[in-house]
Amino acid sequence: MTFAGKVAWITGASSGIGAALARELAARGAAVVLSGRDEARLAEVAADCGESLILAFDVRDETALAEATAKAIAWKGGVDIAFANAGISQRSRALKTSMQVYRDIIEVDLLAQIAFSQGLIGHMAERGLGALGFISSIAGKVGVPMRTAYSAAKFGLAGYADALRAELSINGVSVHTIYPGSVATNVSRNALNADGTQRGRSDKAIDEGIPADVAARTMLDGIAAGEREIIVAEGMELAMGEARRTPEALFDQTAGMVAKGYMDKLEQN
């Protein structure tokens, strides 16, 4: 896959991995659609991206999402690549964490990203082309302490992506699940405490993590190479991710089931 001349839509594009993906996609010749809640920060990213469209909205607002989807598709006649990237992390023990924190993180990190994707898959399948990138986490491969809600959401996102990949394998749409480890962003500062308040401080591992622009290049290189799982990590986190990597044969097996009419048979029964 090449990115030149393509339209790429990124949620959570105002900072961190999302902003880095937008800039790297633009550098590779893509026109970018930037979404997030903060229009002013999106405009700062857009200033580095050449041809771009800002669609500011809260990913939890499905009415606003539907309106943004129509605008993104209409902008240049289609969306070729979409990154479900918006998310929020957590730093709290399960024993102390309120259920509202679980609800809030799962709503943003899982349900909103599914809604974003569901709004595009019909469009992509009808065109017979497209790519979806889901930003999970090493914590979506291995349960990580102090992140029970975050791990639950990111594991769920990976499961949705894997099942979706099999379904869309007959429609010319590729699905790529990305598993970052520690990337130098504000993810820790923005993480939720046990009571739902913002943490407001970073972690040493995050501060010393992979630069966001380097991570973005690795992600796009993986998509360009057709990788279905893309692990972006170093050291122990890389080892953890590789230990839980899904064998390619399993992806081939589920795609083969679809090719042989598995879904048609289930719908007929």
Side-chain angles (χ1 to χ4, degrees), residues 128-152:
L129 58 88
L132 294 162
F134 293 92
I135 310 299
S136 181
S137 170
I138 292 298
K141 275 288 187 189
V142 180
V144 178
M146 303 288 283
R147 296 166 182 80
T148 48
Y150 186 67
S151 281

Side-chain angles (χ1 to χ4, degrees), residues 58-245:
D58 188 322
V59 292
R60 295 168 293 187
D61 184 339
E62 292 194 19
T63 299
L65 171 59
E67 293 172 354
T69 301
K71 290 176 182 177
I73 291 171
W75 183 42
K76 289 186 175 294
V79 173
D80 302 301
I81 308 160
F83 288 89
N85 169 68
I88 187 167
S89 192
Q90 168 200 16
R91 297 293 186 274
S92 62
R93 299 180 186 222
L95 287 170
K96 298 180 179 180
T97 302
S98 73
M99 274 306 302
Q100 191 58 48
V101 169
Y102 286 94
R103 294 186 184 99
D104 290 344
I105 289 177
I106 287 171
E107 183 178 14
V108 173
D109 292 17
L110 177 57
L111 296 179
Q113 305 318 308
I114 291 175
F116 170 68
S117 306
Q118 289 291 128
L120 288 170
I121 57 176
H123 163 69
M124 289 184 172
E126 184 177 348
R127 297 172 81 204
L129 58 88
L132 294 162
F134 293 92
I135 310 299
S136 181
S137 170
I138 292 298
K141 275 288 187 189
V142 180
V144 178
M146 303 288 283
R147 296 166 182 80
T148 48
Y150 186 67
S151 281
K154 292 299 188 178
F155 266 85
L157 189 63
Y160 168 77
D162 285 354
L164 185 65
R165 180 186 299 110
E167 289 195 21
L168 297 181
S169 60
I170 57 174
N171 297 110
V173 180
S174 64
V175 176
H176 311 269
T177 313
I178 300 166
Y179 297 91
S182 294
V183 177
T185 67
N186 287 324
V187 63
S188 292
R189 289 186 180 86
N190 296 332
L192 300 186
N193 293 315
D195 61 356
T197 58
Q198 193 174 83
R199 187 169 188 253
R201 66 182 190 279
S202 193
D203 300 328
K204 184 174 184 288
I206 294 295
D207 290 341
E208 297 177 355
I210 300 169
D213 59 340
V214 174
R217 286 196 293 272
T218 301
M219 293 173 190
L220 295 185
D221 287 347
I223 291 174
E227 296 177 18
R228 291 176 281 197
E229 283 191 346
I230 303 166
I231 296 173
V232 185
E234 297 175 330
M236 179 183 69
E237 292 177 336
L238 175 60
M240 292 167 71
E242 291 293 347
R244 298 294 294 272
R245 184 183 283 278

Side-chain angles (χ1 to χ4, degrees), residues 46-61:
D48 299 329
C49 292
E51 196 168 14
S52 59
L53 173 67
I54 295 172
L55 296 174
F57 65 96
D58 188 322
V59 292
R60 295 168 293 187
D61 184 339

